[in-house]
């Protein structure tokens, strides 16, 4: 019973938030679309006179920013992704080049086609959830006595929807209609808001644009994977040259000296043999560390869950691990997830000032989901040169995503999702 009440309250909050957001979209979207559409038409009309060559890039930049705000809202509020596929502009381009490059971009014309759609059908689809949420307030107000402002009970003084309000009885009918509309708002507001964003996506995003975005992402992740592999090979070569290889060379020289001294100075030969044995042990330990850095044996033998538990045991702060994996993912996916978790844990220990960490791993709906939470000072960001940026690139090779929630003062939660099958 308590669970059901919690679900009802959560659904109610979601509907109210959707209605308020829809009202903001309807008002702000209508004003923004009209202003930008008029400015764009005027600016393009002035291109033959030369004035538009200067003004058009600025206006089109504003149109793109307006469209990008809607893309962000669609993704954050309803999970509707609207890819942006604008062609890049050359750095330091003059107004002539910027103007005609932007006018030659198909994405620009999709933006311009969207503006009249947004001020008409987009306005209506955004207004519907707000009306469903707010219009019932008028019906309830009529039933509470507002009807007396419009009539003395002898004639129809107001219409609420299709209900003619002429007295207390019809005012109660208006309240009944308001209750029906409120129930509709409870069930329909989130879906109608999602419908608005899907309409936006149908105009702003084309199949070719989405394909171009997909090609761009794959090109970047392939380049990152190649760069990462090259850097890893250089690291392995350097570690072998400076570590195990040097020890093995020294051990070979010691054994050559032992061979020369074994008959003349057995005591010194014995000391050199002991030194060579220690060098071989050190070289073996370095090789094991090197192999562990490439692919930890515990990961290969026991899977991602146990490998992460082993990582947690080595942390200098208290770390809790919760694993719900019904099988094993492919080895490359497990390796990427393992090293991503390792990097995030290292960052938490070094920079967050946390004294407690929580790791959650589970696999559902074809997706490996991992979250790492700490109770540190917060402020973590994904940026160029940061460890999180490297983790994001590593996951991008597998179409994985990284999200960071880290307000000032903490806590910090890093969430990773990698699409993969489990066997």
């Amino acid at each position: 019973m308590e669970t059901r009440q919690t679900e009802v309250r959560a659904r109610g909050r979601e509907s109210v938030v959707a209605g308020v957001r829809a009202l903001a979209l309807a008002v702000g979207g209508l004003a923004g679309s009209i202003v930008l559409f008029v400015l764009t038409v005027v600016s393009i009309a002035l291109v033959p006179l030369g004035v538009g060559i200067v003004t058009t890039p600025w206006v089109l930049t504003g149109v793109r920013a307006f469209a990008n705000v809607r893309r962000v809202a669609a993704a954050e509020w309803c999970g509707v992704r609207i890819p942006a596929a604008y062609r890049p502009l050359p750095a330091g381009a003059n107004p002539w080049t910027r103007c005609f490059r932007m006018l030659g971009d198909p994405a620009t014309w999709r933006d311009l086609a969207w503006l009249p759609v947004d001020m008409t059908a987009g306005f209506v689809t955004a207004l519907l959830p707000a009306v469903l949420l707010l219009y019932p307030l008028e019906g309830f107000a009529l039933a509470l006595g507002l009807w007396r402002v419009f009539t003395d009970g002898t004639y129809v003084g107001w219409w609420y929807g299709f209900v003619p309000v002429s007295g207390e009885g019809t005012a109660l009918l208006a309240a009944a209609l308001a209750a029906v509309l409120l129930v509709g708002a409870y069930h329909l507001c989130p879906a109608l808001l999602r419908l608005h964003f899907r309409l936006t996506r149908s105009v702003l995003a084309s199949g070719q644009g989405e394909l171009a975005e997909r090609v761009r992402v794959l090109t970047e992740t392939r380049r990152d994977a190649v760069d990462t592999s090259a850097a890893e090979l250089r690291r392995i070569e350097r570690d072998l040259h400076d570590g195990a290889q040097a020890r093995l060379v020294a051990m070979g020289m010691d054994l050559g000296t032992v061979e020369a001294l074994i008959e003349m100075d057995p005591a010194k030969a014995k000391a050199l043999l002991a030194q060579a044995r220690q060098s071989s042990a050190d070289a073996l330990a370095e090789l094991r560390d090197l192999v562990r850095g490439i692919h930890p044996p515990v990961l290969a033998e026991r899977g991602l869950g146990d490998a992460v538990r082993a990582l947690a045991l080595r942390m200098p702060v208290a770390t809790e691990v919760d694993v719900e994996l019904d099988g094993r993912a492919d080895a490359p996916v497990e390796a990427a997830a393992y090293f991503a978790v390792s990097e995030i844990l290292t960052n938490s220990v070094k920079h967050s000032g946390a004294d407690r960490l929580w790791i959650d791993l589970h696999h559902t709906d074809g997706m490996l989901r991992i979250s790492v939470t700490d109770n540190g000072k917060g402020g973590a960001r994904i940026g160029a040169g940061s460890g999180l940026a490297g983790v994001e690139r590593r996951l991008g090779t597998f179409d994985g995503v990284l999200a960071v929630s880290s307000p000032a003062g903490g806590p910090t939660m890093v969430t990773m999702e990698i699409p993969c099958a489990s066997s």
Side-chain angles (χ1 to χ4, degrees), residues 38-401:
V38 171
L39 288 176
T40 303
V41 171
V42 172
S43 184
I44 293 177
L46 293 175
V47 167
L49 301 178
V51 177
I53 293 175
V54 177
T55 60
T56 298
W58 292 100
V59 174
L60 292 181
T61 299
V63 173
R64 290 185 177 187
F66 184 65
N68 284 332
V69 168
R70 193 65 57 88
R71 289 184 175 97
V72 172
E76 292 185 352
W77 293 353
C78 292
V80 177
R81 291 187 67 254
I82 307 175
Y86 299 112
R87 293 175 180 174
L89 296 173
N94 57 47
W96 176 278
T97 302
R98 285 177 58 83
C99 177
F100 288 100
R101 284 287 185 93
M102 295 180 82
L103 289 176
D105 189 345
T108 296
W109 295 102
R110 285 197 297 273
D111 288 351
L112 298 183
W114 167 68
L115 290 176
V117 173
D118 190 53
M119 69 179 72
T120 53
F123 173 74
V124 172
T125 54
L127 192 61
L128 277 175
V131 169
L132 281 176
L133 180 68
L134 300 177
Y135 192 46
L137 299 179
E138 180 185 337
F140 295 137
L142 288 170
L144 291 174
L146 184 64
W147 63 272
R148 292 186 177 89
V149 176
F150 305 109
T151 178
D152 60 2
T154 61
Y155 61 92
V156 175
W158 191 258
W159 283 81
Y160 179 76
F162 55 82
V163 176
V165 179
S166 58
E168 187 172 355
T170 50
L172 292 175
L173 289 178
L177 176 58
V180 172
L181 292 176
L182 197 60
V183 172
Y186 174 82
H187 290 287
L188 297 178
C189 276
L192 289 173
L193 184 60
R194 196 173 298 110
L195 175 65
H196 168 83
F197 287 126
R198 286 177 177 169
L199 172 66
T200 303
R201 182 175 62 183
S202 68
V203 182
L204 282 182
S206 70
Q208 289 183 345
E210 189 170 352
L211 180 61
E213 176 69 9
R214 177 66 175 158
V215 170
R216 183 188 66 80
V217 171
L218 289 176
T219 301
E220 289 183 358
T221 55
R222 184 187 63 181
R223 182 174 63 248
D224 290 337
V226 171
D227 292 344
T228 301
S229 298
E232 188 70 10
L233 286 174
R234 288 193 297 271
R235 181 188 70 82
I236 293 171
E237 181 181 11
R238 184 177 63 252
D239 290 348
L240 284 174
H241 182 272
D242 297 341
Q245 179 178 326
R247 293 188 182 279
L248 291 173
V249 170
M251 185 175 65
M253 295 175 63
D254 288 341
L255 290 175
T257 305
V258 167
E259 188 177 9
L261 294 176
I262 195 167
E263 293 183 358
M264 295 182 295
D265 193 346
K268 189 172 183 179
K270 186 180 294 185
L272 287 174
L273 279 175
Q275 183 177 327
R277 184 170 63 251
Q278 183 60 44
S279 296
S280 68
D282 293 341
L284 182 59
E286 290 184 359
L287 287 173
R288 283 174 176 166
D289 291 338
L290 185 62
V291 170
R292 189 178 294 111
I294 300 171
H295 196 82
V298 66
L299 180 62
E301 296 169 4
R302 303 179 61 179
L304 181 61
D306 286 340
V308 171
R309 289 190 182 98
L311 269 178
L313 291 174
R314 296 201 296 269
M315 290 295 104
V317 299
T319 305
E320 296 181 16
V321 182
D322 184 20
V323 178
E324 293 183 12
L325 301 176
D326 53 2
R328 296 193 59 175
D330 293 338
V333 173
E334 286 193 336
Y338 173 85
F339 287 112
V341 172
S342 177
E343 178 70 23
I344 292 169
L345 291 175
T346 301
N347 285 348
S348 295
V349 171
K350 288 173 61 177
H351 305 298
S352 72
D355 59 10
R356 197 167 189 84
L357 299 169
W358 295 267
I359 308 171
D360 179 74
L361 294 89
H362 61 277
H363 185 276
T364 54
D365 301 326
M367 193 76 66
L368 175 63
R369 293 182 172 89
I370 306 171
S371 65
V372 180
T373 308
D374 67 56
N375 62 350
K377 61 187 179 182
R381 295 289 183 272
I382 302 176
S386 72
L388 291 176
V391 171
E392 187 178 42
R393 289 194 300 270
R394 183 189 292 271
L395 298 182
T397 307
F398 301 91
D399 281 342
V401 295

